[in-house]
Amino acid sequence: MDRKLVLNNGMTYALLPVLILIGLVLGIAVLYQPILVVIGVFGAILVILSFTHPDRISSLIILSTASSIQFFIHLSLGGLDILSFYKFVIVLLIMPSIIYYGIKLKFTYPIIALLLLVVITYFGSDWHMNLTRSAPIKAFIGLAIPFVFLLVRWKPIAAERHIRVICFIPLISMIIGVFLHFAGIQPLYLVEFTGAFRMQGASIPPHLAMLAYLGVLIALIEVKRNPKHAMFFYVMVLLNFAILLSTGTRGPLIASTALLLYYLYDQIKEYFNGKLIRIIPLGGFLVLTVISSILMWANVKKRSFERTDETGIDLSGRSEAWDFFLKGVENSPWFGRGLGSSIVANDGSIYAGFVVPHNEYIRFYFDTGIIGAVILFLSLFMIFYRVYRVLDVGIKPYYIGFIIGFLVYSFSDNTLSTLQFTLPFCWYLGALHTVSLSKFAKKEVI
């Protein structure tokens, strides 16, 4: 008998008592909290679908990152804020996929590393006075959740679909943003006090920029890896690059330089090797670069050179924030101030928006010192290497550019602390490993 059918039937019978209980609870609750009941019914449907069709619900989980719901939905559900509740739901929805497809045990390194950071916190850190005893556990859960998506042993066909879905996220964010704009819930764009225009879609500009940045770089890698669908991925590059420019965010543009330069080199090399057709993407790349530079210059000027006071200090505040957090850990450089301490460290002496220092190296140095930061980033490099090993030779330089981009981006933003970056980033690493491993295994057999 088909394993999937047996599993689905078993899950259906196992769910019957749960469904009955949910029905009773919702029937009573509708009299008191109708809005929460609607959310509950929708959630119950998603849970059922995650058990009966685990492969299909995965695309919905990926697309859910298109919206930074915590910025325009202010609810507390079961004692959890909306972001914590959202993280809980997506883990709940992915568990049936883990049960059905199995896990990649060698991809658990980041989760193990984060557990070690919790141990360091309780037994070695110089606890920050604002850090509660439960805060490190909450920080661990929030940071570890995206790495759960590295573990699923998806089938190659599902992994290929996930890669395409990731490229669509920024466009979906823009579409949802249009509806939110006309519904009066959240504006599609904002204009800063400097006059700089910034698109935000259904997120905020930095989050939309992260999604678009990943969409551009992933699509460029896929152009090389999957030439049969090159036209689709070229369209994704153009759309996502346009969205990235419209966010007026500088960090991802700088971070994408390594991969873009290699792409340019690769196209020129292939052109001179006789592939004259390469003149089309090469010319398009150069035209796009010139046009984007012209369009972006005014915004970059407003957000950089004009955003300074008479002392010449950049009002983006990163240098002050980095200074603040580095000074705060001077007395505990090896084990830091405790996992999650950076979230509660801002005493008001720097801009309130710096909940964490917009630099992941400083963030984990502050939280768990040199020891903790080294453990965490070493675990990430172990994952990066495992993916690198199974890639085709022609893809490896693109992948290296992708990883360099992540490392550069982490100097100026909260890459590991933001679900809009970490979830699609981890999902792509897992999907890329899956599709490349299947081809690698075929080569080994041949």
Side-chain angles (χ1 to χ4, degrees):
M1 188 177 292
D2 183 59
R3 177 174 177 264
K4 185 172 182 179
L5 181 62
V6 171
L7 183 67
N8 286 344
N9 287 338
M11 287 183 174
T12 302
Y13 288 122
L15 279 173
L16 282 176
V18 178
L19 295 176
I20 294 171
L21 179 60
I22 290 174
L24 290 172
V25 172
L26 293 178
I28 297 171
V30 72
L31 301 174
Y32 304 97
Q33 294 289 343
I35 295 177
L36 293 183
V37 168
V38 171
I39 296 174
V41 169
F42 182 67
I45 292 171
L46 289 179
V47 170
I48 294 169
L49 287 175
S50 71
F51 276 93
T52 57
H53 299 89
D55 55 332
R56 297 180 186 177
I57 206 69
S58 58
S59 296
L60 185 60
I61 296 173
I62 299 171
L63 289 174
S64 69
T65 58
S67 178
S68 303
I69 57 174
Q70 68 269 30
F71 289 98
F72 55 89
I73 297 179
H74 304 286
L75 285 175
S76 179
L77 300 168
L80 299 174
D81 60 71
I82 192 66
L83 181 59
S84 299
F85 181 75
Y86 164 64
K87 290 179 179 179
F88 169 76
V89 169
I90 61 174
V91 168
L92 183 66
L93 294 179
I94 202 65
M95 290 310 295
S97 297
I98 293 176
I99 295 170
Y100 180 72
Y101 293 107
I103 65 172
K104 303 174 183 177
L105 286 175
K106 292 180 180 179
F107 274 53
T108 57
Y109 297 130
I111 297 176
I112 294 171
L114 287 167
L115 277 171
L116 291 176
L117 265 55
V118 174
V119 174
I120 287 173
T121 294
Y122 283 103
F123 294 97
S125 296
D126 176 20
W127 277 59
H128 192 279
M129 61 181 180
N130 294 332
L131 189 67
T132 63
R133 301 305 293 181
S134 61
I137 303 300
K138 183 178 178 181
F140 162 76
I141 294 171
L143 291 166
I145 282 174
F147 293 106
V148 172
F149 301 104
L150 276 171
L151 305 181
V152 187
R153 289 184 178 275
W154 299 108
K155 293 180 180 178
I157 189 171
E160 292 280 8
R161 184 178 71 249
H162 293 157
I163 291 171
R164 291 182 177 84
V165 171
I166 292 171
C167 293
F168 269 113
I169 300 175
L171 184 60
I172 297 299
S173 182
M174 292 295 293
I175 293 171
I176 297 173
V178 170
F179 285 103
L180 294 176
H181 182 87
F182 286 105
I185 298 173
Q186 170 166 295
L188 181 63
Y189 59 87
L190 57 85
V191 178
E192 292 186 340
F193 68 93
T194 59
F197 175 90
R198 305 191 71 187
M199 192 68 73
Q200 62 181 5
S203 293
I204 58 174
H207 289 183
L208 181 59
M210 288 178 171
L211 295 171
Y213 162 82
L214 289 171
V216 170
L217 267 59
I218 289 171
L220 271 180
I221 295 173
E222 293 303 307
V223 165
K224 183 71 175 181
R225 189 191 68 83
N226 201 349
K228 290 182 180 179
H229 298 95
M231 184 57 66
F232 166 78
F233 287 112
Y234 272 128
V235 171
M236 289 294 102
V237 170
L238 291 172
L239 286 174
N240 289 324
F241 195 67
I243 293 172
L244 176 57
L245 290 176
S246 70
T247 65
T249 310
R250 297 155 291 178
L253 291 173
I254 296 170
S256 62
T257 302
L259 196 151
L260 290 175
L261 286 176
Y262 184 79
Y263 168 79
L264 180 61
Y265 161 78
D266 196 33
Q267 294 301 307
I268 293 173
K269 184 180 71 173
E270 291 198 4
Y271 174 76
F272 283 108
N273 284 340
K275 296 184 178 179
L276 301 182
I277 192 66
R278 294 301 180 192
I279 194 67
I280 297 176
L282 180 58
F285 177 82
L286 294 174
V287 170
L288 181 64
T289 302
V290 172
I291 293 175
S292 63
S293 298
I294 294 171
L295 293 176
M296 275 297 295
W297 177 248
N299 252 13
V300 169
K301 186 178 179 183
K302 288 174 181 175
R303 301 200 69 238
S304 300
F305 306 110
E306 294 177 5
R307 292 188 66 182
T308 57
D309 58 18
E310 63 278 2
T311 65
I313 297 174
D314 184 358
L315 295 182
S316 64
R318 278 177 172 77
S319 58
E320 294 93 328
W322 297 347
D323 233 23
F324 172 84
F325 284 97
L326 288 173
K327 288 179 180 177
V329 75
E330 283 178 344
N331 295 327
S332 183
W334 291 104
F335 299 107
R337 307 299 303 276
L339 187 62
S341 58
S342 55
I343 299 173
V344 296
N346 189 347
D347 57 6
S349 58
I350 54 174
Y351 172 58
F354 288 103
V355 178
V356 285
H358 287 268
N359 181 313
E360 293 294 51
Y361 306 104
I362 294 177
R363 184 258 169 93
F364 288 101
Y365 169 57
F366 185 91
D367 277 11
T368 53
I370 295 171
I371 302 297
V374 168
I375 289 173
L376 178 60
F377 281 95
L378 182 60
S379 73
L380 294 177
F381 273 100
M382 292 173 76
I383 297 296
F384 298 157
Y385 176 68
R386 288 204 168 273
V387 177
Y388 176 85
R389 284 178 56 195
V390 299
L391 296 177
D392 287 339
V393 174
I395 308 300
K396 286 182 176 180
Y398 283 84
Y399 177 72
I400 291 172
F402 182 63
I403 298 305
I404 290 173
F406 161 73
L407 298 174
V408 171
Y409 205 165
S410 297
F411 270 103
S412 62
D413 224 321
N414 310 318
T415 50
L416 295 176
S417 312
T418 306
L419 209 60
Q420 274 66 31
F421 186 94
T422 323
L423 191 148
F425 179 72
C426 288
W427 211 304
Y428 179 65
L429 290 178
L432 183 61
H433 180 265
T434 296
V435 296
S436 300
L437 184 63
S438 64
K439 293 181 180 178
F440 184 78
K442 289 178 183 177
K443 289 180 182 179
E444 290 293 302
V445 171
I446 292 172

